[in-house]
Amino acid sequence: MKSFNFNTTTKILFGKNKAEEMIPEIKSRGNSLLLAYGGGSIKKNGVYDKVVSLLKDNNIKFKELSGIEPNPRISSVREGVKICRENNLDFILAVGGGSVVDACKAIAAGVSYDGDPWDFMMMKAKVKNPLPIGVVLTLAATGTEMNGNAVISNEETLQKRPMGAPSLCPAFSVMDPVYTYSVNKWHTAAGATDIISHVFEFYFTPDKDAFVTDGVAEAIMKTCIEYGRKAIDSPEDYEARANLMWAGTLAINGLLSLGKTGGGDWATHMIEHEISAIYDLTHGAGLAIVFPAWMQYVLDEDNAWKFAKMARNVFGVKIEDDIEAAKKGIEEVKKYFKSLDMPLSLKDVDIDDQYLEEMGEKCTLFGAVGVMRKLEAKDVTAILKAAL
Ligand code: NZQ
Ligand code: ZN
């Protein structure tokens, strides 16, 4: 097991009726904030009314930024930066799913940066002194509520790229599973797919000696399998929503890379981002298509043991030969995505081969991607072709 430092700065407020507890957290950081949200789900499910009455009752001034898109756009980030500057706001409260939270992180970084916030995504600028942000999470998926990452789309260049800094970790995240009851079947399924995919990204590394970290990863995978379909069928099943919500956080708050090499593989995420950049596809749906294709592409004699380990420990595969067990495990992953009614091929979401070469080039803009196997542009295109 490799040595590591682990430090997380986000206070988690998890459970029913926890929103009240964010007020002292906000007040200790300022008295005026940007209240940012998406296309209106929080107005339908009552979360907006709850948050606004809490802010008003506690004399916290706020300006609103609404309409942040799924696959959040740089134009929304620029607008948020403008509102924060014009009103001299000292805090950002993100109320929504990963898209809203990610946009808020980029806004937080953009306020203290003189140039265009897209520079962060193009690695031309580093995050310095961002505004503090808080989160009221309404969708279990990305884990952004307890990490310093954000993924932003540029609608002009059709790029979707990550940025990140430890200082972008939210100060707090309110995680009330009841707020996720209104998430529809598609986004619940895409969320469960995203969560298990984050675990895959951390799990599939060449390390042979991080038993405990891999064991935690396997438990989170099993949680997605146990509760993904249940949350779709019974949207108000508290245990299902709560377990998925916490699984989503644990999957990508740093825990699953401890004692292992680097920070995970992430090639599949990079490839998926190229799909959603061009086609505005739901992130989790793109992962359901790409992950099995990536697994099949990178599987070889040297790494089969790891795929076999997942097959045996998570899916109960009883095959002795590693390669055969690994192949069966990949089939089980596909079956799981199918059981959530996720698409399994690009054809299923009406995507053809028009941009596959371009996606390969854009995905490897800053060099080869992946750890399990380093992928060049031609490999990315081959994986996408296999996913057609
Ligand atoms: O916009 P509104 O009206 O709020 O509706 C949203 C949106 O249409 C809706 N929704 C959210 N909470 C709801 C709800 N509908 C009903 N009831 C609720 N309680 O769900 C739709 C999707 O929301 P979105 O925020 O886009 O989903 P998600 O949380 O999956 O976020 C996806 C984005 O996060 C990025 C993805 O690439 C994508 O852009 N990711 C961010 C990561 C990170 N920061 O660490 C890691 C991930 O791998 C991922 O790349
Ligand atoms: Zn993801």
Side-chain angles (χ1 to χ4, degrees), residues 194 198 269 283 287:
D194 194 20
H198 295 154
H269 264 70
H283 172 62
L287 291 170

Coordinates of all heavy atoms in Angstrom, one line a residue, residues 194 198 269 283 287, ligand 2:
D194 N -23.3 6.7 -13.2 CA -22.1 7.6 -12.9 C -21.4 7.1 -11.7 O -20.2 7.1 -11.6 CB -22.6 9.0 -12.8 CG -21.5 10.0 -12.9 OD1 -20.4 9.7 -13.4 OD2 -21.7 11.2 -12.5
H198 N -17.5 5.9 -11.4 CA -16.4 6.5 -10.7 C -15.6 5.5 -9.9 O -14.4 5.5 -9.8 CB -17.0 7.6 -9.7 CG -17.6 8.7 -10.4 ND1 -18.6 9.5 -9.9 CD2 -17.4 9.2 -11.7 CE1 -19.0 10.4 -10.8 NE2 -18.3 10.3 -11.9
H269 N -14.1 8.4 -18.6 CA -14.7 9.7 -18.4 C -14.3 10.7 -19.5 O -15.1 11.5 -20.0 CB -14.4 10.2 -17.0 CG -15.5 9.9 -16.0 ND1 -15.7 8.6 -15.6 CD2 -16.4 10.7 -15.4 CE1 -16.8 8.7 -14.8 NE2 -17.2 9.9 -14.7
H283 N -24.5 12.5 -19.1 CA -23.2 11.9 -18.8 C -23.3 10.4 -18.4 O -22.5 9.6 -19.0 CB -22.6 12.7 -17.6 CG -21.3 12.2 -17.0 ND1 -20.2 12.0 -17.7 CD2 -21.1 11.8 -15.8 CE1 -19.2 11.6 -17.0 NE2 -19.7 11.4 -15.7
L287 N -21.6 7.0 -20.2 CA -20.7 6.1 -19.5 C -21.2 4.6 -19.7 O -20.4 3.7 -19.8 CB -20.7 6.4 -18.0 CG -20.0 7.7 -17.7 CD1 -20.2 8.1 -16.2 CD2 -18.5 7.7 -18.0
Ligands
ZN2 ZN -18.9 10.8 -13.9

